[in-house]
Each structure stands twice: as structure tokens, then as C-alpha cells.
Amino acid sequence: MNESSSKLAQALTTLKSIQDNGHQVIRSNQLSRTERETLIKYGFLRSIMRGWYAASQPDEKLGDSTPWYTCFWSFCAEYLDDRFGQQWALSPEQSLALHIGDRTIPTQLLVRSPKATNNSIELPHKTSILEVQLKLPEQAHLTTLNGLRVYTLAAALVYSSPKNYTQHPIQMRTALSMVSDASDILKVLIVGGHSAIAGRLAGAFRNIGRAIIADSIINGMAANDYRVSETDPFTDKILIDFGRRQLSPYSNRIRLMWSEMRNDVINLFPEPSSKPADINNILEKIDEQFVSDAYHSLSIEGYRVTEELIELIHSGKWDPNTSGESKKHLDAMAAKGYWNAFQKVKETITSVLNGANPGEALERVHGDWYLALFSPSVAAGIVSQQDLAGYRSGPVFIRNSMHTPPDKEAVRDMMPTLFDLLIEEESVAVRAVLGHFIFVFIHPYFDGNGRIGRFIMNLMLASGGYPWTVVPVEKRSDYMHALEAASVKQNIKPFAEFLGRLVNTSD
């Protein structure tokens, strides 16, 4: 082994040891100067700020934000502990986001600390930390989530800004829905003498159908000689019923997003031209789209496949046993898996066209689609068989996205809710647009989410007489930006408009 290789091997060994000890970010004093410079030279380390680094891979493109977004929250926890000790907390608004499982990367993270200097710390990819010098609430009103010091749910609701109700209604309603009774909130309100805030919270709870909690707040404050004038901080009413004690923030968040977004989809999505009666004719037209759909869908995900390979698989003439290294080639296996899954999707479309409820049909077979998509890769030893055992068992990140998919426990709550919403939804357009978006928002699998999301879209489109619609790889940037707007800003309009234009050109 030459000297350069030896240095790199030693540096990587040290880096692995640091990561094995639970560190996603690396301090400069954890590495020797030679190790640090070697890892930077070969692309295994990228600078966050002076003295702080993020691990990366040499094949990651310059400007790729994924390594930074992946370690953002870990960096903030370690950096803020290093800077302020235990004398800091995220803002009440950011605390609420984390309580409901929303780990979207903010462009500016607001941090409160009595030791702060009211400065903004610039971080990679146009993100920053704004430290504000403020006294912290009493210790009982603070807690820790994944190393981040935050306000408790009750304290965050009390101290959250009034404008947060109008700027982030989904977040606020989801957090309110987690509260089972008024006890913890009343403790914060009474100790602080917050009669105006009590009126706002009472109105907010009544808005989401939790009248008992609203009345308890008013009565509890009155019993302590505080007069409360109830006001509703939201600008609209909701059309969903949370139930008396449905406390899963993950399920409620999905239901709120669906309710908030569906009217925009209905208003922006084109009506179907006409619903063909001949099922065989519909399936023939879908078959005609396979080569184009497979090429574009796989290319969007970064696979390098040719239309010739896809056509060979389509015709049944491709034989992995006589295709040289293709048997071990990820791209070829992905193309074969796409063909297998496409057949499963057609079977589901047939059942729906024969009268099955699209949401119920999807719930029964979506796991079969996933298995079909990756079974060739399992057979070739590219993918582990245990990776196909249900939903993902760990975290996953979307390249260059500020949206962090929910954790594995949340997936188990969100997926049944998605199916319930699809089963109950009457609008074909809403099923197609939100079915695709919510599925990739949840990201229930380690891989294949985009392909299955587009299959869901086309299943729902077919159920209402729309044509099979291909998302072209040439429009990948527009497609991903529209999904990002929906995921990060809860703005579904760009995505509904984008898919609507594609549907119009598919007629």
C-alpha cells in the first residue's frame, strides 16, 4: 500500500470510529490535521463552518445539499450545546414543528438563550441560525427531543406567536390535536397570568372541535380570578372531525394536509375528456405507454437504462442468464423490476375498472407492487431480501430536499390514514394528485417511492377516465420543485398545475 492509500485508510478508520460512537457531525479536534486534510482532499469530509465538518461521499456532486440536510439537526444540537451549554432552546414555533414530527430544514433556525449575542450564523446552502438573547422559561417548560432543547408541547402552544395560526394552520391544528386535556396548558397559563393567550387557545381548541378543552381553559382561568375573552386565531374552519381523543400527530397532520389542499387540486386540475367503456382498449393504450413510461420513470430516479433494454424486457426476449454482467447490473434489474410491477399495476387497474374502490384496491396490493419492483434485484443479490419486508425500518433522506420524511413509527400511522383518505375521496383529481404527493411525502420504503407514487397517480387517473400519464425526465427539475413546494411549504398548487398540464398533453 502506497503512502497516500495508507493515509486515507487511517483517516477513514478514524472517521468510522467517530461515526460508530453516534456522531453525525465531526469536530476538527476529533481528527489529526493530516487525517482531516486527507478526508477533505478525497471528498469524504465537507466543511460546515470553522471547526465543524459533515461526512460525505466522493461521488457526491459539488453543491449537493444532501450531506448537509442529513446532518442539520445533529449539527444544531451539538453546536448549540457547545456554544451555550444547557442554556438554550429552540423557539416555541420550531418546538411545535418538532413535536408533531415535522423535521423540515428551516432556512433560519431561531434559538433563544440568555447567552446569545443576537447574531445570525451563516450555514451551508443558504441556511442559518439566528440566536436571540432572551430569558428561558422555567425548566419544567423545557424538554429534549433527539438532542434538541425545545419547549414542552403545552408551553410551546402557550408561547407560540398569534401569527403562527394563520401562517402555519396545519402545524398548529396538528399540535392542538395532540392535547388530551387542559391540565398541562392551564399550569403554564395560570403561573404566567396569560389571560389573553388563554382566550386565544380556547378559541383554537373550539375551532378543531375540542370544546371540552376550550371550556376547561376558560373555567380554569376563571377559578383563579382571570377573566378570559375567547377569540378564534384561525381564519377558517376545518371540515374534518378529529374525534375526542385521537392523539397521533402523524395521522392528523396527513388529514389536515389533505383537507387544506383538496380544493386547490379540484380548482386547478382538468376534467377528464370522456370515460372509455372498453376495458381492453384502455389496457392496450396503457401497454403502448410502457417503454416510454419505464424509460422516463427510471431515468428520473437516476438509473441509466435505454429504451432498447426496456423494449427487450417488454418483448420477453431479455435473458439475464445470457446477458453477461447484466445479471449483476442494478440498472438492468431495475428495468426488469419495473416491467414486473407494471403488470401488477395493470391488474389493479382492471379490478378498479370493474368496480373496485381504488383506495381499497391500492391498500391490498401496494406491497405486491413493491415486491415486484425489487424482486429481480433480490434474485441478483443487489438488494437484501429483508429490505423488502414491509415498510422501512429506519430513516431515509430525499436528495437535495429540505423535507425530511417521517420516522419509521410515524409511517405506521400515516399509511393507513392515506388509504382511508383515498377510499373516502370522491374526486378523481384529488386521489391522483394527493395520492401521489402524500405517498412520497411519507416515503414508506427505502427505495422505489417515486416509481410507486407515479403508479398510484396513474391508477387513480385511470379510475376516472384519464389517460396514462408519463412524467418526462426532461421535466424532472419542475417535478421535484413542485413536490418540494408541497412538502416544505404545504403549497400543492404548483404540483397540481404541473400534473394537470401533463394530463392535458397525454389525451
Side-chain angles (χ1 to χ4, degrees):
M1 183 183 295
N2 60 39
E3 185 178 354
S4 295
S5 298
S6 178
K7 283 182 179 180
L8 179 58
Q10 175 57 48
L12 287 171
T13 299
T14 304
L15 178 60
K16 182 179 184 300
S17 175
I18 294 169
Q19 293 175 318
D20 288 346
N21 284 326
H23 295 280
Q24 283 189 276
V25 293
I26 294 90
R27 298 289 305 274
S28 58
N29 59 12
Q30 293 175 297
L31 298 163
S32 71
R33 180 176 177 179
T34 299
E35 289 171 334
R36 185 172 68 252
E37 291 176 350
T38 300
L39 291 170
I40 292 171
K41 176 181 177 181
Y42 289 101
F44 289 98
L45 213 60
R46 292 188 184 183
S47 175
I48 297 173
M49 60 182 296
R50 184 181 177 87
W52 296 82
Y53 299 87
S56 61
Q57 293 296 323
D59 59 353
E60 287 168 350
K61 296 179 181 178
L62 190 65
D64 187 345
S65 60
T66 310
W68 169 233
Y69 292 157
T70 301
C71 73
F72 175 86
W73 292 112
S74 295
F75 165 77
C76 291
E78 291 194 35
Y79 171 76
L80 293 169
D81 273 348
D82 181 72
R83 181 166 171 73
F84 299 124
Q86 299 299 299
Q87 295 297 304
W88 66 274
L90 302 185
S91 69
E93 295 78 14
Q94 185 62 64
S95 297
L96 284 178
L98 294 174
H99 275 295
I100 68 172
D102 183 355
R103 292 174 65 84
T104 300
I105 307 300
T107 53
Q108 186 173 71
L109 184 68
L110 298 178
V111 179
R112 299 182 172 193
S113 172
K115 298 181 179 180
T117 56
N118 296 320
N119 287 323
S120 178
I121 300 143
E122 298 304 312
L123 298 171
H125 299 285
K126 299 181 180 179
T127 59
S128 64
I129 293 175
L130 177 60
E131 54 174 70
V132 182
Q133 189 178 66
L134 284 172
K135 182 180 178 181
L136 295 176
E138 59 182 87
Q139 190 62 37
H141 297 162
L142 296 174
T143 188
T144 302
L145 292 176
N146 297 316
L148 294 160
R149 292 179 59 77
V150 298
Y151 284 61
T152 63
L153 177 61
L157 285 168
V158 169
Y159 292 115
S160 185
S161 166
K163 66 182 181 182
N164 214 43
Y165 290 89
T166 53
Q167 293 180 347
H168 303 286
I170 293 174
Q171 180 186 98
M172 291 303 298
R173 285 187 171 115
T174 303
L176 288 163
S177 74
M178 294 174 66
V179 178
S180 59
D181 64 74
S183 304
D184 290 339
I185 286 177
L186 273 171
K187 290 175 185 176
V188 183
L189 291 170
I190 292 169
V191 170
H194 300 303
S195 56
I197 296 174
R200 184 163 63 243
L201 280 168
F205 278 111
R206 203 175 304 280
N207 180 283
I208 70 164
R210 298 285 173 83
I212 293 176
I213 297 178
D215 292 339
S216 295
I217 289 174
I218 294 171
N219 295 336
M221 294 297 285
N224 286 272
D225 298 324
Y226 291 106
R227 292 187 61 185
V228 173
S229 177
E230 182 175 328
T231 57
D232 186 346
F234 293 109
T235 57
D236 61 344
K237 304 294 182 182
I238 57 172
L239 302 176
I240 62 176
D241 180 11
F242 284 117
R244 294 181 62 192
R245 290 180 174 79
Q246 184 176 352
L247 306 182
S248 166
Y250 314 117
S251 175
N252 285 341
R253 188 177 173 204
I254 293 297
R255 296 174 71 209
L256 281 164
M257 289 169 65
W258 193 281
S259 178
E260 290 275 336
M261 294 176 174
R262 71 181 304 277
N263 283 338
D264 284 334
V265 174
I266 291 170
N267 292 333
L268 293 169
F269 208 77
E271 292 288 333
S273 53
S274 62
K275 188 171 182 178
D278 188 344
I279 294 177
N280 289 331
N281 181 259
I282 296 172
L283 296 176
E284 286 177 8
K285 289 184 177 296
I286 290 174
D287 256 338
E288 292 170 2
Q289 291 293 323
F290 170 72
V291 173
S292 174
D293 184 66
Y295 169 75
H296 288 284
S297 192
L298 288 166
S299 297
I300 283 173
E301 304 303 325
Y303 292 100
R304 295 182 179 180
V305 295
T306 63
E307 292 191 0
E308 289 75 17
L309 171 62
I310 295 168
E311 184 58 53
L312 200 62
I313 291 171
H314 183 206
S315 66
K317 296 178 181 178
W318 180 76
D319 183 357
N321 296 315
T322 58
S323 298
E325 293 301 308
S326 291
K327 188 174 181 180
K328 299 180 180 179
H329 197 273
L330 179 62
D331 296 342
M333 294 300 111
K336 175 59 177 170
Y338 200 88
W339 164 253
N340 293 345
F342 193 86
Q343 306 313 305
K344 295 288 184 182
V345 174
K346 282 201 309 176
E347 292 174 8
T348 312
I349 289 174
T350 302
S351 72
V352 168
L353 294 177
N354 280 313
N357 179 287
E360 291 177 350
L362 177 64
E363 184 173 21
R364 285 195 301 270
V365 303
H366 72 286
D368 295 336
W369 293 4
Y370 178 66
L371 291 172
L373 202 60
F374 287 100
S375 55
S377 296
V378 170
I382 296 170
V383 174
S384 168
Q385 194 167 20
Q386 65 185 24
D387 287 341
L388 301 190
Y391 299 137
R392 59 181 163 86
S393 57
V396 66
F397 297 91
I398 304 172
R399 184 163 295 280
N400 292 317
S401 175
M402 298 179 86
H403 166 61
T404 302
D407 61 31
K408 61 181 182 179
E409 289 79 15
V411 170
R412 273 71 180 167
D413 276 352
M414 287 177 160
M415 288 303 291
T417 301
L418 171 59
F419 295 127
D420 287 344
L421 290 165
L422 286 167
I423 289 167
E424 296 162 6
E425 180 58 59
E426 295 180 355
S427 167
V428 176
V430 172
R431 291 200 303 266
V433 176
L434 295 188
H436 177 356
F437 161 61
I438 297 293
F439 182 86
V440 296
F441 178 89
I442 299 170
H443 239 66
Y445 299 115
F446 281 119
D447 196 8
N449 298 281
R451 281 163 278 173
I452 294 177
R454 291 184 287 278
F455 281 148
I456 291 172
M457 174 189 76
N458 274 304
L459 167 64
M460 300 304 162
L461 288 175
S463 73
Y466 290 94
W468 186 278
T469 299
V470 175
V471 178
V473 66
E474 295 82 6
K475 295 187 180 295
R476 184 185 187 279
S477 179
D478 294 341
Y479 174 60
M480 298 305 293
H481 284 149
L483 281 170
E484 185 79 348
S487 298
V488 174
K489 300 179 180 178
Q490 278 75 62
N491 180 10
I492 198 63
K493 291 180 181 179
F495 191 56
E497 291 172 335
F498 175 81
L499 293 184
R501 288 193 296 270
L502 292 181
V503 166
N504 273 335
T505 59
S506 298
D507 271 322

